[in-house]
Amino acid sequence: MKLSRHTKVAAALAGAASVALLASACSSDGGGTDEAASDEPITLTITTFGTFGYDDLYEQYMEENPNITIEATNIDTGGNARTDAFTKIAAGSGLSDIVAIEEGWLGSIMEVSDTFVDLRDFGIEDRSGDWVDWKYAQATDADGRVIGYGTDIGPEGLCYNGALFEEAGLPSDRAEVAELIDGDWEHFFDVGRDYQEATGKAWYDHSGFVWNAMVNQLDEGYYTADGELNVEGNAELQERFELLGSATEDGLSAAQAAWDWNGGKSFVDGTFATFVCPGWMLGVVQGNTEAGGGDATTGWDFADVFPGGAANWGGAFLAVPETSEHQAAAAALADWLTQPEQQVAQFEAAGTFPSTVAAQDELASNPTPNEFFNDAPVGEILAGRSVGVVAQFKGPDDSVIQENVFGPPLQKLDRGEVSTQEAWDEAIVLLNELVG
C-alpha cells in the first residue's frame, strides 16, 4: 500500500515525538544563479543541529555576497531537528530556506522527498563527482531526484583519555593505544575489563553510543539493503547486543546521559576513559570537556583505531524545501557551504569530516596537529579511517529504532535494572509497538 504524504508525515512525527535522537552533525561559486547574483536584498534562513561549525562561513558568505543576509537557527540535537522538520512539513510551512538533514533520519525524509526541490535543477549533477560516490547516492530518491548537498561523513576513531590510561598502567601514546585496541569488539571490552579492574572506573560513557557504533558497522543494520526490517530474528544483531550487555553487566558503562554527561564534568573527572568518535563527535568532546571545566590538559587524545574496523556514524545533507521563496539563492548557499574549501574550514571549526574527495585529500596530505587532542593529526587519522567506509542503508524508522526501541532498555541495562536478555526482550516488544 502506498502511503499518502499525510500518513508518512504523521508516522514520522509519531516516531519522533518522544525521542532525543543522535546528532551529528552540508553548484556554484556562491553567486551562480541569477537571484543570488543580483543586488536584490535577500534573507536566507538555515536550520542546522548539533555542532556544524558554520558561523564563520556564514560571515564570509555575507561579506562576499552583500545582498544576502543569513539568519541561522541551530537546534541542539538531530532528534529535535527531526521533530522540528516533520512538524513543519505536516503544517505545510515554517521550514527554513535550507534544512540540514541527518543521515539517521534521511530514510524518513525520503518518504516525503517531494517536499524538497530537485537539486539537479540547480546544477548539482555537475558536482556529482565531488563527493564519495555513496554520499551522492544517499541523497538521491527512488525517482532519481537529488535532494541534498552532502556535508560530512562519519568515519570513526577512538577518543581516549591518556592520563587515565597511564593511571591504569596502560600505554598512553596514541600509536601504542592503537596497537593495544586493535581487534574486534570482544577484545575492546576485554581491555576495558583490565582497565576497570585496575581503576574501579567505567570504560565507556554509556551503552547507547557503543551500540550505535556496533550496529553501524554491520553491512546491514536495522534494515536490509533492500529496505526490509531486520531486527527480530537477526542473530548477528542479537550476538552483538549480548556482547555489549556482558560488558555493561561487568561495570564497563558509566551510565551517562547522552548529550549531557553531567554538564560535561564527566569528561573531566575521569568517569570514563574511552569514547566512540566519528569526526563530528570531536567537537562534541571538546565542547563538553570545556563546559565541564577542562581543557587540552585534561588528557583526551584520538587514536587511529576502532574496534572491529572501519565504520561510519552519521553525516548530514543540506536540502532546500519546495516552500522556500528563494530556492535558487538557497541552493547557491548550500552549494557553497559544501564546496571542498568550505568543508575543510568546517572540519577545522567542528571536526566534521568532509564528504568531498578533494577536501579529504587536503586533510590527508596536510596533517595539522589538533591542540585539544594532544596534537593528534585528526584529519589525517580520519582520512585513513574513512578508507573502506560505506554508509549503511537507513530505513524510514532507523533513528526511531535506535533511540526509542533500543534506547530505553539499554539505559535500564546501564543502571543495572535489567539483565541483557531482559533488555533484548524489551527492545523487541518496543519494536512491535512502535515500528512493527
Side-chain angles (χ1 to χ4, degrees), residues 278-302:
W280 55 267
M281 197 68 94
L282 295 171
V284 174
V285 172
Q286 180 172 349
N288 277 275
T289 301
E290 292 171 348
D295 54 26
T297 65
T298 302
W300 287 99
D301 207 322
F302 186 58

mmCIF file of all heavy atoms in Angstrom, residues 278-302:
data_model
loop_
_atom_site.group_PDB
_atom_site.id
_atom_site.type_symbol
_atom_site.label_atom_id
_atom_site.label_comp_id
_atom_site.label_asym_id
_atom_site.label_seq_id
_atom_site.Cartn_x
_atom_site.Cartn_y
_atom_site.Cartn_z
ATOM 1 N N PRO A 278 33.180 9.373 15.801
ATOM 2 C CA PRO A 278 33.178 9.844 14.416
ATOM 3 C C PRO A 278 33.699 11.277 14.407
ATOM 4 O O PRO A 278 33.720 11.943 15.456
ATOM 5 C CB PRO A 278 31.706 9.767 14.024
ATOM 6 C CG PRO A 278 30.954 9.859 15.318
ATOM 7 C CD PRO A 278 31.834 9.220 16.356
ATOM 8 N N GLY A 279 34.131 11.761 13.240
ATOM 9 C CA GLY A 279 34.743 13.084 13.197
ATOM 10 C C GLY A 279 33.906 14.166 13.849
ATOM 11 O O GLY A 279 34.423 14.992 14.614
ATOM 12 N N TRP A 280 32.595 14.166 13.559
ATOM 13 C CA TRP A 280 31.752 15.237 14.089
ATOM 14 C C TRP A 280 31.659 15.199 15.615
ATOM 15 O O TRP A 280 31.304 16.199 16.242
ATOM 16 C CB TRP A 280 30.351 15.187 13.477
ATOM 17 C CG TRP A 280 29.636 13.877 13.608
ATOM 18 C CD1 TRP A 280 29.621 12.845 12.704
ATOM 19 C CD2 TRP A 280 28.835 13.443 14.710
ATOM 20 N NE1 TRP A 280 28.875 11.800 13.172
ATOM 21 C CE2 TRP A 280 28.366 12.140 14.401
ATOM 22 C CE3 TRP A 280 28.455 14.016 15.912
ATOM 23 C CZ2 TRP A 280 27.546 11.410 15.255
ATOM 24 C CZ3 TRP A 280 27.639 13.295 16.776
ATOM 25 C CH2 TRP A 280 27.200 12.007 16.441
ATOM 26 N N MET A 281 32.017 14.060 16.218
ATOM 27 C CA MET A 281 31.939 13.971 17.673
ATOM 28 C C MET A 281 33.145 14.634 18.340
ATOM 29 O O MET A 281 33.100 14.926 19.543
ATOM 30 C CB MET A 281 31.849 12.502 18.093
ATOM 31 C CG MET A 281 31.371 12.275 19.513
ATOM 32 S SD MET A 281 29.645 12.725 19.795
ATOM 33 C CE MET A 281 28.848 11.135 19.527
ATOM 34 N N LEU A 282 34.206 14.897 17.588
ATOM 35 C CA LEU A 282 35.379 15.539 18.195
ATOM 36 C C LEU A 282 35.013 16.903 18.775
ATOM 37 O O LEU A 282 35.460 17.277 19.861
ATOM 38 C CB LEU A 282 36.494 15.682 17.154
ATOM 39 C CG LEU A 282 37.089 14.366 16.622
ATOM 40 C CD1 LEU A 282 38.019 14.637 15.452
ATOM 41 C CD2 LEU A 282 37.823 13.618 17.723
ATOM 42 N N GLY A 283 34.202 17.645 18.030
ATOM 43 C CA GLY A 283 33.761 18.940 18.541
ATOM 44 C C GLY A 283 32.882 18.790 19.766
ATOM 45 O O GLY A 283 32.910 19.635 20.672
ATOM 46 N N VAL A 284 32.092 17.724 19.802
ATOM 47 C CA VAL A 284 31.233 17.467 20.961
ATOM 48 C C VAL A 284 32.095 17.171 22.184
ATOM 49 O O VAL A 284 31.838 17.673 23.282
ATOM 50 C CB VAL A 284 30.282 16.288 20.665
ATOM 51 C CG1 VAL A 284 29.489 15.906 21.922
ATOM 52 C CG2 VAL A 284 29.342 16.634 19.517
ATOM 53 N N VAL A 285 33.132 16.357 22.001
ATOM 54 C CA VAL A 285 34.022 16.021 23.120
ATOM 55 C C VAL A 285 34.705 17.282 23.645
ATOM 56 O O VAL A 285 34.728 17.542 24.860
ATOM 57 C CB VAL A 285 35.070 14.979 22.691
ATOM 58 C CG1 VAL A 285 36.114 14.778 23.795
ATOM 59 C CG2 VAL A 285 34.412 13.657 22.360
ATOM 60 N N GLN A 286 35.243 18.062 22.734
ATOM 61 C CA GLN A 286 35.939 19.270 23.167
ATOM 62 C C GLN A 286 34.977 20.247 23.853
ATOM 63 O O GLN A 286 35.289 20.801 24.920
ATOM 64 C CB GLN A 286 36.613 19.955 21.979
ATOM 65 C CG GLN A 286 37.356 21.233 22.375
ATOM 66 C CD GLN A 286 38.182 21.823 21.245
ATOM 67 O OE1 GLN A 286 38.376 21.194 20.210
ATOM 68 N NE2 GLN A 286 38.669 23.025 21.439
ATOM 69 N N GLY A 287 33.815 20.455 23.232
ATOM 70 C CA GLY A 287 32.849 21.404 23.796
ATOM 71 C C GLY A 287 32.388 21.002 25.185
ATOM 72 O O GLY A 287 32.275 21.841 26.083
ATOM 73 N N ASN A 288 32.131 19.714 25.371
ATOM 74 C CA ASN A 288 31.662 19.267 26.676
ATOM 75 C C ASN A 288 32.782 19.259 27.706
ATOM 76 O O ASN A 288 32.543 19.538 28.891
ATOM 77 C CB ASN A 288 31.030 17.879 26.548
ATOM 78 C CG ASN A 288 29.596 17.959 26.084
ATOM 79 O OD1 ASN A 288 28.683 18.137 26.878
ATOM 80 N ND2 ASN A 288 29.400 17.848 24.778
ATOM 81 N N THR A 289 33.990 18.933 27.276
ATOM 82 C CA THR A 289 35.117 18.990 28.219
ATOM 83 C C THR A 289 35.310 20.426 28.707
ATOM 84 O O THR A 289 35.500 20.662 29.917
ATOM 85 C CB THR A 289 36.394 18.485 27.536
ATOM 86 O OG1 THR A 289 36.198 17.143 27.101
ATOM 87 C CG2 THR A 289 37.582 18.541 28.488
ATOM 88 N N GLU A 290 35.254 21.361 27.792
ATOM 89 C CA GLU A 290 35.418 22.768 28.178
ATOM 90 C C GLU A 290 34.244 23.240 29.031
ATOM 91 O O GLU A 290 34.433 24.001 29.989
ATOM 92 C CB GLU A 290 35.592 23.616 26.921
ATOM 93 C CG GLU A 290 36.922 23.333 26.213
ATOM 94 C CD GLU A 290 37.037 23.995 24.850
ATOM 95 O OE1 GLU A 290 36.007 24.483 24.348
ATOM 96 O OE2 GLU A 290 38.144 24.009 24.284
ATOM 97 N N ALA A 291 33.036 22.775 28.709
ATOM 98 C CA ALA A 291 31.870 23.140 29.528
ATOM 99 C C ALA A 291 32.011 22.587 30.940
ATOM 100 O O ALA A 291 31.513 23.190 31.906
ATOM 101 C CB ALA A 291 30.592 22.607 28.883
ATOM 102 N N GLY A 292 32.693 21.448 31.066
ATOM 103 C CA GLY A 292 32.886 20.837 32.380
ATOM 104 C C GLY A 292 34.094 21.373 33.128
ATOM 105 O O GLY A 292 34.438 20.863 34.201
ATOM 106 N N GLY A 293 34.745 22.382 32.557
ATOM 107 C CA GLY A 293 35.880 22.999 33.240
ATOM 108 C C GLY A 293 37.233 22.480 32.806
ATOM 109 O O GLY A 293 38.257 22.851 33.392
ATOM 110 N N GLY A 294 37.269 21.620 31.782
ATOM 111 C CA GLY A 294 38.534 21.072 31.320
ATOM 112 C C GLY A 294 39.109 21.823 30.139
ATOM 113 O O GLY A 294 38.521 22.786 29.636
ATOM 114 N N ASP A 295 40.249 21.342 29.675
ATOM 115 C CA ASP A 295 40.901 21.938 28.510
ATOM 116 C C ASP A 295 41.828 20.887 27.895
ATOM 117 O O ASP A 295 41.694 19.682 28.171
ATOM 118 C CB ASP A 295 41.655 23.216 28.878
ATOM 119 C CG ASP A 295 42.650 23.001 30.015
ATOM 120 O OD1 ASP A 295 43.127 21.857 30.184
ATOM 121 O OD2 ASP A 295 42.950 23.972 30.745
ATOM 122 N N ALA A 296 42.789 21.356 27.104
ATOM 123 C CA ALA A 296 43.675 20.415 26.414
ATOM 124 C C ALA A 296 44.494 19.573 27.386
ATOM 125 O O ALA A 296 44.956 18.481 27.033
ATOM 126 C CB ALA A 296 44.607 21.176 25.470
ATOM 127 N N THR A 297 44.680 20.062 28.617
ATOM 128 C CA THR A 297 45.467 19.297 29.589
ATOM 129 C C THR A 297 44.662 18.191 30.258
ATOM 130 O O THR A 297 45.218 17.411 31.050
ATOM 131 C CB THR A 297 46.023 20.224 30.682
ATOM 132 O OG1 THR A 297 44.934 20.765 31.449
ATOM 133 C CG2 THR A 297 46.833 21.370 30.079
ATOM 134 N N THR A 298 43.365 18.101 29.938
ATOM 135 C CA THR A 298 42.536 17.077 30.575
ATOM 136 C C THR A 298 42.947 15.677 30.139
ATOM 137 O O THR A 298 42.684 14.697 30.831
ATOM 138 C CB THR A 298 41.053 17.334 30.250
ATOM 139 O OG1 THR A 298 40.705 18.654 30.704
ATOM 140 C CG2 THR A 298 40.141 16.344 30.950
ATOM 141 N N GLY A 299 43.567 15.595 28.966
ATOM 142 C CA GLY A 299 44.144 14.305 28.591
ATOM 143 C C GLY A 299 43.518 13.598 27.410
ATOM 144 O O GLY A 299 43.952 12.511 27.037
ATOM 145 N N TRP A 300 42.497 14.194 26.757
ATOM 146 C CA TRP A 300 41.849 13.497 25.659
ATOM 147 C C TRP A 300 42.743 13.466 24.427
ATOM 148 O O TRP A 300 43.425 14.443 24.099
ATOM 149 C CB TRP A 300 40.494 14.130 25.342
ATOM 150 C CG TRP A 300 39.492 13.793 26.405
ATOM 151 C CD1 TRP A 300 39.100 14.578 27.451
ATOM 152 C CD2 TRP A 300 38.805 12.545 26.565
ATOM 153 N NE1 TRP A 300 38.208 13.901 28.253
ATOM 154 C CE2 TRP A 300 38.012 12.644 27.738
ATOM 155 C CE3 TRP A 300 38.795 11.346 25.853
ATOM 156 C CZ2 TRP A 300 37.206 11.595 28.186
ATOM 157 C CZ3 TRP A 300 37.990 10.299 26.299
ATOM 158 C CH2 TRP A 300 37.209 10.430 27.457
ATOM 159 N N ASP A 301 42.725 12.330 23.773
ATOM 160 C CA ASP A 301 43.556 12.085 22.597
ATOM 161 C C ASP A 301 42.694 11.337 21.590
ATOM 162 O O ASP A 301 41.537 10.977 21.873
ATOM 163 C CB ASP A 301 44.787 11.249 23.006
ATOM 164 C CG ASP A 301 45.986 11.480 22.085
ATOM 165 O OD1 ASP A 301 45.764 11.635 20.866
ATOM 166 O OD2 ASP A 301 47.117 11.470 22.593
ATOM 167 N N PHE A 302 43.232 11.106 20.411
ATOM 168 C CA PHE A 302 42.455 10.464 19.345
ATOM 169 C C PHE A 302 43.343 9.437 18.654
ATOM 170 O O PHE A 302 44.392 9.791 18.086
ATOM 171 C CB PHE A 302 41.973 11.521 18.349
ATOM 172 C CG PHE A 302 41.048 10.999 17.284
ATOM 173 C CD1 PHE A 302 39.860 10.369 17.626
ATOM 174 C CD2 PHE A 302 41.346 11.153 15.942
ATOM 175 C CE1 PHE A 302 38.991 9.895 16.652
ATOM 176 C CE2 PHE A 302 40.484 10.698 14.957
ATOM 177 C CZ PHE A 302 39.305 10.069 15.316
#
